[in-house]
Amino acid sequence: MEFSWGSGQESQRLLLSFLLLAIWEPGNSQLHYSIPEEAKHGTFVGRIAQDLGLELAELVPRLFRVASKDRGDLLEVNLQNGILFVNSRIDREELCGRSAECSIHLEVIVDRPLQVFHVEVEVRDINDNPPVFPGTQKNLFIAESRLIDTQLPLEGASDADVGTNALLTYRLSPNEYFLLEKPSNDERIKGLGLILRKSLDREETPEIFLVLTAIDGGKPELTGTVQLHITVLDANDNAPVFDRSLYTVKLPENVPNGTLVIKVNASDLDEGVNGEVMYSFSTDISPSVKHKFHIDPVTGQITVKGYIDFEECKSYEILIEGIDKGQLPLSGHCRVIVEVEDINDNAPELEFKSLSLPIRENAPMGTVIALISVSDRDTGVNGQVTCSLTNHVPFKLVSTFKNYYSLVLDSALDRETTANYKVVVTARDRGSPSLWATASVSVEVADTNDNAPAFAQPEYTVFVKENNPPGAHIFTVSAVDMDAQENALVSYSLVERRVGERLLSSYVSVHAESGKVFALQPLDHEELELLQFQVSARDAGVPALGSNVTLQVFVLDENDNAPMLLEPEAGISGGIVSRLVSRSVGAGHVVAKVRAVDADSGYNAWLSYELQSSEGNSRSLFRVGLYTGEISTTRSLDEADSPRQRLLVLVKDHGDPAMMVTATVLVSLVENGPVPKAPSRVSTRVTNAETSLVDVNVYLIIAICAVSSLLVLTLLLYTALRCSTVPNENVCGPPKPVMVCSSAVGSWSYSQQRRQRVCSGEYPPKTDLMAFSPSLSDSRDREDQLQSTEDSSGKVSFYCL
């Protein structure tokens, strides 16, 4: 007799599986291949490179690689021809167990740009496993008094294959006593039984030997057999009967040992020891059931004694025997189906599959940084996982395929602001209570040349004394680049231009690395008072960025020019002036005037005159104006005075050290009467010469004041730039009238036009810078007086003379 195992619901389920396979949607996998299990090494699977649209020449440069969450050595790709082939033996039963669907999920990853493809290789089952019974022989006991249609339960065979290859039919060897029971339609019940069809007579037939054969549905079909040894017992004619033939119970996973699963109960109509029932597991149950459950032989309580894990096994089938204590014991049987309930006891698992680091700070939005896989061994809502990132990072997660995510760039990066991000990915399931797991990755931002070198200020003022030695260091410029490495390596150079007839590079040079500025030759204040030029700073990035700074080099005057006498009259040379003076002149009569100029500026060009006597009484007879150079008599002349006077006038500047020149004045005293006058032509020439000399003095004074004012203006401008960041409350107030007083060497005056505000962040504003201008009054005739003048703006300047 033959019966088909799972012929009802199992057939429907197989048909539904075939239909689902036929209408498989491409969205579930980018590529799908199918191979039979046990394929030989080198078996062709598919042209994976061609199917993915990849060129063979780009497989190696783009680092083509295949990763598998399952065993990664089963399949391999030939990078020469792009063919996916079998690399090692594939056993479907070892890979997927009894799962209806068995696939190898591959991740194909290529770089430049980073791409990931998902390939599913279905492993088809072949009929390579025969049906297997729990043992080669089964011993059964039955009383001779048992009624017809009594059932003897048997444990069915199992087949490691799936689908039609695992559809079993059974055949019992021909006999007159037993029929093979039709298997149950409940797919959870794998057992079958023998039905007594003829009364037994122990005396006639004490033992019965049968062969039970299991046949699978594969092509070719495979079989398995078990020997049934049936012993016919005498006497005790009532077997225990359970309340139910099938018990179903739900048990949460992870319950502690000793937890009660269920209590079974069987009753026996016999009396005495023949009615007492002892409970036990059937000898055919699997070892895993024996390790995880225990049955009390007296009470029939089934308790937990091992670790129950839903992820390991979702249900258990337990065959229970109830045996009475009769001399010829009888037994009853029932089945207990324990369905394990899943609880949220597995945290999600995170894994970074591929990293593309570091990322450049100018990377476009959407750049893929990492590939992340997420899994949870739980089922249902306990296995549904959502991922999130730490706050305030310029990245986001994008779901790509099932439980795969891409970490992509979501906003612009700036390495100068943040050079490294610690990105924490949190995977949280939807169980109650929720479990989560985290994984972190450090994302380094690579620098790009997006910052030009910057100087602390746009302009610098430098003061250098003239006559400096060649190659003297006069200033150092410094620029800072916020970039890194070669993008922050700054080099300096001059912005070349012409200064008059010469190139700027003939005057100064700048060191490319240190930024030191050197004067290549001695500078001359009289030739060049101000040298303005630009220094360029450029980094070593590609393309290079740069900026310029302006340097104003003021050449300060030194006293390197001696006073020079003017020779206004024809026939007078060599610093000697001759004059005729009548003895009748009175005190204060101007005899002559010594005129001199100095090529320097400021104090170095301010001249004073002293009279040195070369004869006995000449010093008391004449005097010279300290700053005018006018020689005049100190008293009335008399007959005792020598008719020829030789005067030495010392002209010197106020430099340090002072430089001087000597002028000789020859004065001839004549008797009372008109002093010989020069012809009108000569007089006119002298008058014009004196007028020119006065003009020269005026120009000299103006030049001195202008140079002093320019120096003050430069100092004030430099100070004002340094104070440019001072808060508003420190801004200088309005200028006040300044008292300017004379000293032993001249007068100090305040230049209203050159006035600048000098500020600091700690003290009140000051306006005490003054420009020097010499007094034109005679030192001996100077009297203290106070004058006031009002300028065009209505402000008053006071002078103390």
Side-chain angles (χ1 to χ4, degrees):
M1 300 182 66
E2 295 184 2
F3 294 100
S4 174
W5 170 256
S7 59
Q9 294 182 355
E10 183 67 24
S11 299
Q12 295 177 1
R13 189 176 68 174
L14 288 174
L15 179 59
L16 180 59
S17 299
F18 288 132
L19 290 176
L20 290 175
L21 183 62
I23 61 173
W24 180 269
E25 294 183 1
N28 291 338
S29 178
Q30 295 186 9
L31 283 181
H32 181 273
Y33 297 110
S34 177
I35 59 170
E37 67 173 329
E38 304 294 339
K40 295 181 180 180
H41 173 76
T43 300
F44 174 85
V45 178
R47 300 185 181 276
I48 188 171
Q50 178 180 342
D51 296 339
L52 292 178
L54 300 175
E55 297 294 334
L56 295 180
E58 67 180 355
L59 297 184
V60 174
R62 294 188 64 184
L63 302 180
F64 182 96
R65 56 196 182 275
V66 176
S68 173
K69 189 175 182 180
D70 305 314
R71 289 180 52 187
D73 59 344
L74 299 179
L75 299 172
E76 190 60 65
V77 175
N78 188 333
L79 298 182
Q80 302 299 322
N81 52 26
I83 292 177
L84 180 66
F85 63 93
V86 175
N87 187 48
S88 60
R89 175 180 175 269
I90 300 177
D91 187 350
R92 185 189 185 283
E93 288 72 30
E94 178 183 352
L95 186 64
C96 301
R98 297 192 56 81
S99 175
E101 297 176 2
C102 183
S103 298
I104 300 175
H105 297 277
L106 302 179
E107 297 171 13
V108 179
I109 303 173
V110 292
D111 293 338
R112 304 170 187 166
L114 180 64
Q115 291 180 286
V116 61
F117 304 92
H118 297 276
V119 180
E120 186 178 49
V121 180
E122 178 188 3
V123 181
R124 300 193 307 272
D125 183 47
I126 64 173
N127 194 25
D128 59 341
N129 292 282
V132 177
F133 286 93
T136 59
Q137 180 175 318
K138 173 69 176 178
N139 295 319
L140 301 174
F141 301 92
I142 185 171
E144 62 177 346
S145 60
R146 297 298 291 269
L147 300 177
I148 296 176
D149 294 330
T150 298
Q151 181 185 16
L152 291 179
L154 296 175
E155 183 73 10
S158 61
D159 195 320
D161 295 321
V162 296
T164 57
N165 296 328
L167 291 176
L168 301 181
T169 57
Y170 294 91
R171 184 171 61 243
L172 186 64
S173 60
N175 68 95
E176 59 180 327
Y177 293 102
F178 294 96
L179 294 175
L180 192 62
E181 180 190 21
K182 180 180 178 180
S184 172
N185 291 331
D186 191 341
E187 63 181 10
R188 299 173 298 176
I189 302 176
K190 302 177 182 178
L192 64 161
L194 297 178
I195 298 177
L196 183 64
R197 67 176 183 176
K198 180 181 178 181
S199 298
L200 297 172
D201 185 357
R202 188 193 65 82
E203 290 70 24
E204 180 180 346
T205 310
E207 293 181 323
I208 301 174
F209 294 92
L210 302 175
V211 176
L212 179 62
T213 303
I215 307 166
D216 64 21
K219 298 296 181 181
E221 61 185 23
L222 301 177
T223 61
T225 60
V226 60
Q227 298 288 332
L228 301 179
H229 180 200
I230 303 174
T231 302
V232 180
L233 303 178
D234 197 14
N236 191 12
D237 58 349
N238 287 292
V241 178
F242 284 89
D243 296 341
R244 287 181 288 176
S245 62
L246 176 65
Y247 293 86
T248 301
V249 63
K250 293 185 178 181
L251 180 68
E253 63 174 330
N254 302 332
V255 294
N257 290 343
T259 300
L260 175 65
V261 179
I262 196 172
K263 180 180 179 181
V264 297
N265 181 60
S267 58
D268 195 315
L269 297 177
D270 294 326
E271 293 183 352
V273 292
N274 291 330
E276 296 179 4
V277 179
M278 300 294 292
Y279 302 96
S280 63
F281 290 142
S282 172
T283 56
D284 293 334
I285 64 172
S286 65
S288 63
V289 173
K290 293 181 179 180
H291 292 149
K292 296 182 182 296
F293 299 97
H294 168 74
I295 186 169
D296 189 295
V298 177
T299 63
Q301 290 182 340
I302 300 175
T303 56
V304 175
K305 73 171 186 178
Y307 178 62
I308 306 299
D309 187 5
F310 175 84
E311 287 73 35
E312 178 184 340
C313 183
K314 296 177 176 56
S315 66
Y316 296 92
E317 180 183 358
I318 307 175
L319 184 62
I320 307 297
E321 289 184 345
I323 304 175
D324 60 28
K325 295 182 178 180
Q327 185 178 2
L328 298 175
L330 300 178
S331 63
H333 301 84
C334 73
R335 296 178 188 275
V336 177
I337 302 299
V338 180
E339 296 180 350
V340 181
E341 292 182 326
D342 182 40
I343 64 173
N344 194 24
D345 61 338
N346 292 281
E349 296 179 357
L350 284 167
E351 181 181 0
F352 284 93
K353 289 293 185 180
S354 181
L355 294 175
S356 181
L357 295 174
I359 180 172
R360 297 182 66 83
E361 62 178 321
N362 61 348
M365 303 302 167
T367 299
V368 178
I369 301 168
L371 299 178
I372 306 169
S373 68
V374 184
S375 61
D376 194 313
R377 296 183 61 196
D378 295 320
T379 60
V381 294
N382 296 331
Q384 296 177 6
V385 180
T386 57
C387 289
S388 61
L389 288 179
T390 50
N391 297 327
H392 310 299
V393 293
F395 310 103
K396 66 179 180 180
L397 289 174
V398 177
S399 178
T400 56
F401 179 80
K402 291 184 178 178
N403 290 331
Y404 288 85
Y405 293 85
S406 294
L407 179 65
V408 300
L409 183 62
D410 189 42
S411 60
L413 299 174
D414 184 10
R415 189 204 65 83
E416 289 70 38
T417 302
T418 306
N420 190 284
Y421 293 91
K422 183 179 181 181
V423 180
V424 179
V425 182
T426 301
R428 185 183 299 271
D429 61 31
R430 300 179 62 183
S432 180
S434 177
L435 299 178
W436 70 90
T438 60
S440 63
V441 60
S442 180
V443 179
E444 180 184 357
V445 182
D447 183 53
T448 59
N449 194 26
D450 57 347
N451 290 279
F455 292 94
Q457 56 191 64
E459 185 176 288
Y460 293 94
T461 301
V462 182
F463 298 94
V464 180
K465 291 183 179 181
E466 64 175 333
N467 302 322
N468 57 279
H473 172 227
I474 61 174
F475 194 67
T476 300
V477 295
S478 178
V480 178
D481 196 311
M482 299 299 293
D483 293 320
Q485 298 178 353
E486 67 274 3
N487 294 330
L489 187 61
V490 180
S491 61
Y492 304 92
S493 63
L494 287 176
V495 179
E496 187 64 271
R497 69 180 184 87
R498 299 193 71 85
V499 180
E501 298 298 327
R502 299 168 58 182
L503 292 176
L504 174 65
S505 56
S506 65
Y507 286 96
V508 291
S509 68
V510 61
H511 192 273
E513 296 180 0
S514 66
K516 291 183 177 181
V517 181
F518 300 94
L520 299 180
Q521 63 181 17
L523 300 176
D524 188 358
H525 172 80
E526 288 72 35
E527 176 188 346
L528 184 67
E529 294 184 4
L530 172 62
L531 179 60
Q532 181 172 314
F533 58 92
Q534 287 187 326
V535 175
S536 174
R538 298 184 69 82
D539 57 32
V542 178
L545 300 178
S547 62
N548 295 343
V549 66
T550 300
L551 266 66
Q552 294 193 35
V553 179
F554 286 89
V555 182
L556 302 180
D557 182 53
E558 286 192 333
N559 194 25
D560 57 346
N561 291 282
M564 182 178 64
L565 296 174
L566 298 178
E567 300 176 356
E569 299 185 17
I572 301 177
S573 61
I576 299 176
V577 179
S578 297
R579 289 292 185 269
L580 297 178
V581 178
S582 174
R583 288 182 181 272
S584 61
V585 298
H589 178 74
V590 177
V591 174
K593 186 171 185 178
V594 177
R595 296 174 175 84
V597 294
D598 195 311
D600 294 320
S601 61
Y603 277 109
N604 297 329
W606 185 28
L607 303 181
S608 62
Y609 301 86
E610 294 181 16
L611 185 61
Q612 293 184 346
S613 175
S614 60
E615 299 182 5
N617 297 324
S618 61
R619 184 170 182 82
S620 61
L621 182 59
F622 299 96
R623 66 182 179 186
V624 65
L626 180 60
Y627 301 112
T628 62
E630 294 179 347
I631 300 174
S632 60
T633 58
T634 59
R635 56 181 174 80
S636 299
L637 302 178
D638 54 30
E639 295 297 333
D641 295 326
S642 173
R644 292 184 62 85
Q645 299 285 339
R646 181 181 178 89
L647 305 179
L648 296 178
V649 179
L650 182 64
V651 183
K652 64 178 180 179
D653 56 30
H654 286 79
D656 185 17
M659 303 188 73
M660 60 193 69
V661 68
T662 301
T664 301
V665 179
L666 300 178
V667 179
S668 298
L669 303 181
V670 298
E671 296 300 330
N672 295 337
V675 178
K677 295 182 179 180
S680 59
R681 181 174 58 83
V682 177
S683 299
T684 301
R685 185 165 59 249
V686 172
T687 301
N688 293 336
E690 292 178 354
T691 303
S692 299
L693 183 59
V694 173
D695 293 340
V696 170
N697 287 337
V698 172
Y699 294 152
L700 178 60
I701 294 172
I702 293 175
I704 293 173
C705 292
V707 172
S708 300
S709 300
L710 182 60
L711 176 61
V712 171
L713 176 62
T714 302
L715 289 173
L716 293 178
L717 180 60
Y718 174 74
T719 307
L721 290 176
R722 293 296 297 271
C723 295
S724 59
T725 58
V726 175
N728 292 335
E729 58 267 17
N730 289 333
V731 175
C732 299
K736 299 179 180 180
V738 178
M739 190 74 71
V740 182
C741 302
S742 64
S743 67
V745 296
S747 298
W748 291 90
S749 63
Y750 181 77
S751 174
Q752 195 80 308
Q753 290 73 18
R754 298 295 183 184
R755 171 173 37 83
Q756 296 290 341
R757 292 177 293 176
V758 181
C759 307
S760 69
E762 300 177 359
Y763 303 102
K766 297 181 181 181
T767 56
D768 57 356
L769 294 182
M770 293 173 289
F772 180 80
S773 64
S775 173
L776 299 179
S777 62
D778 186 58
S779 62
R780 292 181 180 269
D781 297 334
R782 186 186 312 115
E783 297 180 0
D784 293 341
Q785 56 181 346
L786 183 64
Q787 299 177 350
S788 66
T789 59
E790 184 172 357
D791 58 13
S792 59
S793 63
K795 296 182 175 59
V796 180
S797 297
F798 297 94
Y799 298 88
C800 289
L801 304 178

